[in-house]
Amino acid sequence: MSRHVAIVTDSTAYLPQRTMERHGITAVPLTVVLGDQALEEGTEISTRSLAQALQKRHSVTTSRPSPEVFAQTYRRIAEAGATGIVSLHLSAELSGTYDAAVLAAREAPVPVRVVDTGMIAMALGFCALAAAETAEAGGTVDEAVTAAEKRAAGTSAFFYVDTLDYLRRGGRIGAAQALLGSALAVKPLLQLDGGRIEPLEKVRTASKAIARLEELAADRAGSAPVDIAVHHLSAPDRASALADRLRARVPGLVELHVSEVGAVIGAHTGPGLLGVVVSAR
């Protein structure tokens, strides 16, 4: 490892593999429990398998990494030459991943700063990239943490889902809210707020909801330099079309990523998800 400060995140950052390799970022996998099988996100379960299981209403849950998995990761990174580690994770409101990392950090052979970014998906990924770029430039652990926190403060995430039922099943949204959405036959728009996935608006049709998602993202981006990520689950054509429209509409766009979410987020949102992350440079 060429630099002294190493960056760790988790698999819900959904960073492209080549990007992680280029910046030396390590991602610790969360687990998807499908029936009686515990499968690591990113290596042992595909999004297609997940979507099929959800559509058949099979039991699907998710689980944080164990503290020992984090401990092994920190030891391996220290043995490779790192003298400090910044460990950046999805919102503690959504997962126990942060808590597991904190437990492991206490026994790590080098100092580890564990950060609850309050983010998820590429909202988390952009934080990890900011920290990695700071570390690559010779920054300290504290400077890398500050860069990640600054990036988080300037990042917003908006989501469209076909139904709130999957979020209800996973306990990520209230049953009353999910029932109301179903009863009114509306298409929900959600946002990441205070580390939680919260209802934002209810729109009558899918096409109007996606148009509104685009409008929210463009308004949030404004004309300042921003990076944008468009996520989807089993909706590649919708995602590609939305990305093209945002590319034409956002004057300050620096980088635009289009990717399918992994099994952990997919288990809670269901097929048809579209998400847009807007992150100020």
Side-chain angles (χ1 to χ4, degrees):
M1 192 165 294
S2 61
R3 63 177 185 271
H4 291 300
V5 176
I7 307 302
V8 174
T9 187
D10 58 67
S11 60
T12 68
Y14 300 134
L15 285 163
Q17 184 62 35
R18 63 184 180 278
T19 300
M20 290 196 297
E21 291 171 356
R22 184 165 68 247
H23 294 283
I25 299 169
T26 300
V28 176
L30 275 72
T31 300
V32 177
V33 182
L34 183 58
D36 59 357
Q37 287 186 297
L39 306 167
E40 284 189 357
E41 181 176 44
T43 58
E44 296 181 339
I45 180 170
S46 68
T47 50
R48 175 173 292 185
S49 298
L50 171 79
Q52 291 172 345
L54 291 172
Q55 288 164 347
K56 294 175 181 177
R57 301 188 70 83
H58 291 170
S59 171
V60 181
T61 59
T62 58
S63 176
R64 71 177 192 179
S66 68
E68 180 54 31
V69 169
F70 275 111
Q72 291 171 0
T73 300
Y74 297 153
R75 286 195 296 269
R76 184 174 69 251
I77 290 172
E79 288 167 0
T83 56
I85 298 170
V86 177
S87 199
L88 302 153
H89 299 292
L90 80 159
S91 172
E93 294 282 347
L94 301 174
S95 169
T97 300
Y98 167 80
D99 294 332
V102 168
L103 288 172
R106 294 172 184 167
E107 307 300 327
V110 296
V112 179
R113 284 282 300 278
V114 183
V115 180
D116 171 14
T117 65
M119 301 282 113
I120 197 167
M122 272 298 292
L124 168 58
F126 287 132
C127 294
L129 282 173
E133 288 165 359
T134 299
E136 286 169 341
T140 64
V141 165
D142 287 345
E143 288 168 339
V145 169
T146 298
E149 290 177 338
K150 182 178 180 182
R151 196 69 188 259
T155 297
S156 299
F158 306 99
F159 305 95
Y160 160 82
V161 292
D162 276 336
T163 172
L164 291 172
D165 188 46
Y166 297 104
L167 284 161
R168 177 195 60 76
R169 285 192 226 171
R172 265 58 179 186
I173 202 166
Q177 291 171 328
L179 182 62
L180 180 62
S182 299
L184 296 177
V186 296
K187 296 299 182 181
L189 291 174
L190 312 167
Q191 66 177 338
L192 196 58
D193 182 18
R196 298 179 298 275
I197 297 173
E198 299 284 4
L200 180 60
E201 297 179 8
K202 298 184 180 74
V203 185
R204 282 293 178 184
T205 66
S207 60
K208 288 181 179 179
I210 294 169
R212 179 60 178 147
L213 180 66
E214 175 189 338
E215 184 177 349
L216 287 165
D219 288 350
R220 174 64 182 82
S223 58
V226 296
D227 295 326
I228 291 178
V230 176
H231 289 303
H232 72 93
L233 181 63
S234 301
D237 293 340
R238 278 180 172 178
S240 179
L242 176 57
D244 288 343
R245 294 194 299 272
L246 288 170
R247 192 177 285 112
R249 187 169 177 174
V250 177
L253 182 63
V254 180
E255 291 187 6
L256 191 150
H257 304 261
V258 181
S259 63
E260 190 165 32
V261 299
V264 168
I265 289 183
H268 296 292
T269 61
L273 164 76
L274 278 180
V276 181
V277 175
V278 181
S279 184
R281 278 271 175 165

